[in-house]
Amino acid sequence: MARAARPGSIAYVLHSHDWSESSLILDLFTREHGRVVAVAKGAKRPYSQLRPVLMPFQRLVLGFGAKKSDEAEVWLLRQAEWAGGPAWPGGAALLPGFYLNELLMRLMVRHDPHPELFDAYAQTLQAMADPALLQAALRAFEMILLRQLGFLPDLSVQTVNGEPVQSGSNYEFHPDLGVVQARWAGEPGSGPVVLAGSTLQAIEACLCQRFTRGPDGVSRTAVPSLMAACMPALSELKNLLRTHIHYHLGSQPLRTRQLMMELPQP
């Protein structure tokens, strides 16, 4: 059951659309309350204090008004301030950033807090600013998202029989069967995507790391170490995770992924 938010909620804007001539409906990702839908009245007016603040990928401090009941689906946004930190450069990471936002909106239910996922999202945005780290950051976040939502099994054991994954063996990963030992006997490269057991072990070790906050208040997440674990198998992980995500999304494809496929490659 949703609870009324208090002033000072840390959040990111995932998406916004017009509501009347002067207001916006916002899909927000908050650390304390998870996904929240809120109305920002008057945010489109030229002199609104909300207008220049409610931008995607910027860490915000939000204040909400009282709601009429705990069952209210849409909250009232009263105030919004920039929470500090460097401006997100965007560039080549802009469309992938919107891809992350669409994943959160499609896979997360409302009012289900995931503070560790929130911290991972914030750190992933920082990592994506470096073009050399973009793909590794995307793969790391996809896996953290799937694990936090209960969609990613333990990668250090075979899902069906519970036997440990061996570093010297190869494995397949299927949305319905989980981790299974590689069985393809045909031509190399023409069968299922295969990952080395050592890669699966390294990824699982990173996913098991605890999310903590240091004395400076900065969140320590699994993102950096998980990115390093993904580096040896970025192409394989991209294909595996794409299949796994689509399995849980259902028949409706991601708009951002379609757009990325349609854009000419440099």
Side-chain angles (χ1 to χ4, degrees):
M1 183 177 293
R3 297 174 298 170
R6 298 185 299 272
S9 296
I10 302 296
Y12 287 90
V13 174
L14 297 178
H15 181 71
S16 66
H17 62 268
D18 293 342
W19 183 65
S20 78
E21 294 183 358
S22 61
S23 302
L24 294 172
I25 293 290
L26 305 167
D27 204 316
L28 304 168
F29 186 21
T30 72
R31 192 176 196 276
E32 185 180 4
H33 304 280
R35 260 191 68 218
V36 172
V37 174
V39 57
K41 292 185 177 180
K44 294 169 58 180
R45 292 173 181 158
Y47 300 106
S48 170
Q49 294 181 346
L50 297 175
R51 184 184 179 97
V53 178
L54 298 175
M55 303 294 291
F57 315 121
Q58 302 301 320
R59 192 180 183 93
L60 305 174
V61 179
L62 305 180
F64 297 95
K67 300 192 278 88
K68 294 181 179 179
S69 69
D70 289 337
E71 288 76 23
E73 288 295 323
V74 180
W75 295 6
L76 177 62
L77 182 66
R78 289 292 190 188
Q79 57 187 5
E81 297 179 356
W82 178 54
W88 198 60
L94 184 60
L95 192 53
F98 282 114
Y99 163 72
L100 296 189
N101 289 0
E102 188 177 9
L103 277 183
L104 291 170
M105 291 189 292
R106 291 282 302 275
L107 290 175
M108 289 185 71
V109 299
R110 296 180 186 176
H111 311 298
D112 183 18
H114 286 277
E116 295 180 353
L117 180 59
F118 181 93
D119 293 340
Y121 174 81
Q123 193 155 9
T124 300
L125 291 181
Q126 296 177 16
M128 287 168 58
D130 184 344
L133 301 178
L134 176 59
Q135 291 301 317
L138 288 173
R139 305 292 84 79
F141 182 79
E142 288 170 339
M143 284 188 286
I144 291 173
L145 173 63
L146 292 171
R147 174 59 58 84
Q148 287 282 311
L149 299 183
F151 297 148
L152 189 69
D154 187 335
L155 301 179
S156 65
V157 298
Q158 297 184 57
T159 306
V160 175
N161 57 28
E163 295 183 4
V165 165
Q166 303 296 322
S167 59
S169 300
N170 292 326
Y171 298 86
E172 302 167 12
F173 179 64
H174 301 275
D176 49 352
L177 297 176
V179 179
V180 297
Q181 193 155 16
R183 297 167 293 183
W184 178 251
E187 291 294 326
S190 58
V193 178
V194 172
L195 285 175
S198 57
T199 299
L200 290 173
Q201 290 173 336
I203 289 174
E204 182 60 35
C206 296
L207 287 170
C208 289
Q209 290 181 4
R210 293 188 61 84
F211 288 60
T212 60
R213 283 185 176 270
D216 55 358
V218 177
S219 174
R220 316 299 188 204
T221 77
V223 172
S225 58
L226 188 52
M227 288 169 57
C230 292
M231 282 293 190
L234 284 179
S235 178
E236 293 87 349
L237 287 169
K238 181 177 182 178
N239 292 329
L240 285 173
L241 291 170
R242 176 181 298 174
T243 300
H244 199 66
I245 288 169
H246 282 178
Y247 178 83
H248 291 287
L249 285 175
S251 59
Q252 186 176 357
L254 291 166
R255 295 179 180 179
T256 46
R257 177 160 284 169
Q258 287 183 313
L259 183 56
M260 285 189 285
M261 293 175 62
E262 293 171 0
L263 290 176
Q265 299 298 317

